[in-house]
Amino acid sequence: MIWYMNIMESATLRTLNHSAFRLYYHLVIVMKYRHKCLTAPMLQRMEEISRDILTKWGGQVVEFGGEADHVHILFEANPTVKLSDLVKNLKSVTARKLRKEFAEDLAPFYWKPYFWNNAYALISVGGRANIDTLISYIENQNDPRKLG
């Protein structure tokens, strides 16, 4: 995280063929029926999976946080990425893996193959809230990993 903050502070542009860019997005995904079922180990695993997926898509997680019923991911992506496909992939892979790995924990909440709400919020960053404000907001979520 510290190494990435240094990159952000220097405002170095990333390059790809004939373009230079710095594109940040804030993704919020919510549990189906807004069930408060995400635990600290689930969020930790979700962060690992998200980092892996975004790396495969040519991006990277800047900050990750969440609460028992939703997740915030601040990430950077290339301009060639179709964001709706990336989000669809992220939601389907995390749902599949977390439902498999935490089946007993999730059984009281979801007896059908549900996990995420169909909707999501994806906001480009750089308008009203700067990156530092957004990182602080995500870091200050009531994350179960910090409460234990």
Side-chain angles (χ1 to χ4, degrees):
M1 170 73 166
I2 293 171
W3 61 269
Y4 195 76
M5 294 301 293
N6 291 336
I7 291 172
M8 286 178 23
E9 289 172 3
S10 68
T12 304
L13 293 175
R14 293 180 59 198
T15 59
L16 184 69
N17 295 333
H18 304 288
S19 62
F21 58 92
R22 206 70 203 213
L23 300 171
Y24 296 100
Y25 302 96
H26 177 198
L27 173 65
V28 182
I29 47 179
V30 178
M31 301 306 299
K32 186 79 168 177
Y33 309 121
R34 200 79 186 204
H35 285 311
K36 294 185 180 302
C37 59
L38 291 174
T39 63
M42 285 183 211
L43 285 170
Q44 187 61 44
R45 182 67 177 123
M46 169 84 184
E47 181 176 1
E48 293 166 6
I49 296 166
S50 299
R51 288 185 184 282
D52 182 51
I53 291 169
L54 280 157
T55 298
K56 289 177 182 172
W57 280 78
Q60 53 194 11
V61 173
V62 176
E63 190 63 52
F64 181 95
E67 296 186 10
D69 63 352
H70 69 280
V71 171
H72 293 265
I73 306 171
L74 178 62
F75 68 94
E76 185 173 8
N78 291 336
T80 58
V81 169
K82 185 175 177 186
L83 294 171
S84 60
D85 288 346
L86 176 120
V87 172
K88 184 169 89 173
N89 181 245
L90 182 78
K91 287 174 68 176
S92 65
V93 171
T94 55
R96 185 176 64 249
K97 288 186 176 188
L98 291 175
R99 284 187 58 81
K100 182 179 179 182
E101 295 173 22
F102 297 95
E104 287 183 30
D105 297 315
L106 293 168
F109 300 97
Y110 303 109
W111 46 95
K112 292 185 179 181
Y114 296 137
F115 195 76
W116 298 117
N117 186 307
N118 289 335
Y120 61 88
L122 184 64
I123 304 129
S124 60
V125 178
R128 289 182 169 182
N130 66 30
I131 288 282
D132 294 329
T133 302
L134 192 52
I135 287 172
S136 176
Y137 173 75
I138 292 172
E139 285 176 345
N140 290 312
Q141 291 289 297
N142 289 326
D143 189 326
R145 297 176 292 177
K146 297 175 188 171
L147 300 176

